[in-house]
């Protein structure tokens, strides 16, 4: 995990129950095995994990042992969308006590590099992020984590909702990067999990109209239920971009100020650039295809800004406030629950 998990193996001492975790040992090979925790530092907390989400990256690693340029080269504990209960605090931790329910921000930056000093710690080149090789994740009985990355849950926010702060943070950071607000019409490309949390975030930031696009009818129906003003089904054929843009602009009933591409394909990015108004903005959220052929020249001639979005920074407090206040309800996104046993993990 983030503070540096120890290798598997060994047994509990003095009758203390041994910490266990879900280890990715190979393609489609996930086993619950012992996981030794590092010593508790003065600014750390030890947390009993209670809710861990399953992210697309976890599935990529399970199926392929890689995601983009991240490659699993040795056994790794998975999981990074998480919340739990504080079991022990370091000597210098003042804002948390045992028994507090917390949501964990999974990335530990160095706080010394230029990016960190500029406040863009999500771009830290020495980031240690749960379940990003070679760093271990949080699908375990317990983890040790820096206290400043653990955020106390409001009384009316459940541990499951706390774990959902991680994917929601991607949508919140994307909307911040795009300056989404009450005067911003938003188009979202892709109604997968990240598209849906971005929809929720855009609504919470006050976007007056949100249109979401996908190729799948079921995903679009979910997006509609979660508050999209209009949904548009498009094709996967690159030749249909002009036709799709006309359909999307008609659905928006006005100019598209910001497009958030939560799919990352050549087709979606081309559509985003063409659909957005002159002087608008296109955000590529997350890790899309490495290489694309897109109409940059025509977009540049219309001064369409292109912005990258990678992970998030300083989002947990606003996510928790959105959930606490009811501006965002993440509960409909929690569709399945599994216990922490070998059979259920498999």
């Amino acid at each position: 995990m983030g503070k540096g998990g120890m290798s598997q193996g060994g047994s509990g001492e003095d009758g203390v129950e041994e910490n266990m975790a879900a280890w990715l040992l190979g393609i489609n090979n996930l086993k619950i095995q012992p996981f030794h925790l590092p010593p508790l530092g003065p600014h750390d907390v030890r947390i009993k994990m209670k809710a861990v989400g399953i992210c697309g990256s976890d599935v990529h690693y399970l199926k392929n042992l890689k995601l983009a340029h991240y490659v699993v080269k040795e056994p790794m504990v998975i999981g990074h969308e998480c919340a739990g209960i504080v079991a022990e605090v370091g000597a210098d931790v003042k804002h948390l006590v045992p028994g507090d329910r917390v949501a964990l921000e999974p990335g530990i930056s160095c706080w010394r590099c230029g990016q960190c000093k500029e406040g863009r710690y999500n771009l830290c080149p020495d980031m240690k992020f749960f379940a990003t090789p070679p760093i271990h994740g949080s699908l375990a009985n317990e983890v040790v984590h820096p206290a400043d990355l653990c955020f106390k849950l409001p009384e009316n926010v459940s541990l499951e909702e706390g774990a959902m702060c991680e994917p929601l943070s991607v949508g919140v950071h994307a909307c911040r990067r795009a300056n989404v607000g009450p005067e911003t019409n938003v188009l979202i490309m892709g109604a997968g999990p990240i598209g849906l949390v971005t929809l929720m975030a855009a609504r919470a930031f006050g976007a007056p109209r949100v249109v979401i696009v996908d190729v799948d009818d079921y995903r679009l129906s979910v997006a509609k239920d979660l508050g999209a003003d209009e949904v548009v089904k498009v094709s996967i054929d690159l030749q249909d971009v002009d036709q799709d843009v006309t359909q999307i602009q008609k659905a928006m009933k006005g100019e598209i100020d910001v497009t958030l591409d939560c799919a990352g394909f050549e087709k979606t990015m081309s559509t985003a650039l063409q659909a957005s108004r002159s002087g608008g903005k296109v955000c590529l959220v997350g890790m899309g295809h490495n290489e694309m052929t897109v109409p940059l020249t025509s977009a540049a001639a219309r001064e369409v800004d292109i912005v990258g979005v990678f992970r998030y920074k300083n989002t947990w407090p606003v996510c928790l406030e959105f959930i606490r206040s009811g501006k965002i309800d993440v509960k409909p996104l929690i569709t399945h629950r599994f216990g922490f046993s070998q059979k259920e993990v498999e």
Side-chain angles (χ1 to χ4, degrees):
M1 27 65 72
K3 287 292 290 182
M6 312 299 280
S7 62
Q8 68 260 52
S11 58
E13 297 178 2
D14 301 323
V16 176
E17 186 176 346
E18 192 163 28
N19 189 41
M20 306 294 282
W23 288 81
L24 178 60
L25 304 178
I27 291 178
N28 292 324
N29 185 5
L30 198 60
K31 300 294 182 186
I32 293 181
Q33 298 184 160
F35 181 43
H36 297 169
L37 296 180
L40 188 74
H43 300 285
D44 296 335
V45 289
R46 180 170 55 86
I47 299 168
K48 292 184 178 294
M49 301 309 302
K50 296 298 181 182
V52 181
I54 301 171
C55 179
S57 65
D58 295 316
V59 179
H60 270 284
Y61 292 132
L62 178 66
K63 300 295 184 184
N64 306 302
L65 293 183
K66 63 182 179 180
L67 173 62
H69 60 279
Y70 299 109
V71 180
V72 180
K73 298 180 179 179
E74 56 188 28
M76 180 182 80
V77 176
I78 64 168
H80 63 269
E81 305 174 357
C82 53
I85 298 174
V86 175
E88 184 181 5
V89 302
D92 294 335
V93 175
K94 307 299 182 186
H95 70 291
L96 295 172
V97 297
D100 282 344
R101 301 176 313 123
V102 293
L104 283 67
E105 181 172 351
I108 306 173
S109 56
C110 75
W111 293 116
R112 293 182 296 274
C113 70
Q115 297 289 355
C116 285
K117 289 181 177 180
E118 290 176 8
R120 304 184 74 175
Y121 67 85
N122 57 308
L123 303 180
C124 175
D126 194 34
M127 176 71 77
K128 293 177 173 57
F129 195 93
F130 277 153
T132 297
I135 307 302
H136 293 303
S138 58
L139 188 51
N141 296 132
E142 294 186 349
V143 300
V144 169
H145 204 54
D148 67 302
L149 296 174
C150 298
F151 298 86
K152 191 172 179 179
L153 301 183
E155 287 186 5
N156 65 332
V157 176
S158 71
L159 286 156
E160 287 187 347
E161 291 171 297
M164 291 298 293
C165 283
E166 198 281 335
L168 180 58
S169 285
V170 178
V172 166
H173 182 55
C175 288
R176 282 175 168 174
R177 288 277 286 157
N179 297 318
V180 171
E183 298 180 344
T184 314
N185 286 334
V186 174
L187 169 65
I188 297 173
M189 308 296 297
I194 296 302
L196 295 178
V197 293
T198 302
L199 161 65
M200 291 176 161
R203 275 283 180 246
F205 279 110
R209 191 161 179 83
V210 182
V211 173
I212 192 164
V213 171
D214 205 282
V215 300
D216 184 84
D217 286 319
Y218 174 72
R219 287 186 170 194
L220 289 174
S221 70
V222 174
K224 187 69 173 176
D225 290 342
L226 291 177
D229 291 293
E230 292 288 346
V231 298
V232 179
K233 186 177 181 180
V234 295
S235 79
I236 60 173
D237 192 340
L238 196 59
Q239 304 303 315
D240 293 335
V241 168
D242 290 346
Q243 177 181 325
D244 290 345
V245 167
T246 299
Q247 190 181 1
I248 290 165
Q249 290 175 334
K250 182 179 179 181
M252 183 61 76
K253 299 179 180 179
E255 290 192 310
I256 297 167
D257 301 301
V258 168
T259 301
L260 298 147
D261 184 357
C262 300
F265 295 105
E266 187 172 313
K267 166 79 185 297
T268 57
M269 196 62 179
S270 296
T271 304
L273 290 168
Q274 192 168 321
S276 300
R277 69 168 174 83
S278 297
K281 187 172 292 188
V282 171
C283 293
L284 180 56
V285 183
M287 305 182 74
H289 281 199
N290 283 340
E291 296 184 4
M292 303 182 192
T293 300
V294 295
L296 281 181
T297 302
S298 59
R302 296 187 299 113
E303 293 194 357
V304 176
D305 294 339
I306 301 173
V307 177
V309 175
F310 184 62
R311 290 176 178 158
Y312 33 67
K313 62 185 180 74
N314 299 319
T315 51
W316 260 252
V318 71
C319 286
L320 288 171
E321 176 56 23
F322 280 155
I323 297 171
R324 183 205 66 79
S325 65
K327 282 190 173 182
I328 290 179
D329 181 8
V330 295
K331 291 190 291 294
L333 298 177
I334 303 170
T335 59
H336 297 73
R337 292 172 175 83
F338 303 93
F340 190 60
S341 68
Q342 182 62 46
K343 183 178 180 180
E344 288 180 282
V345 163
E346 288 175 357

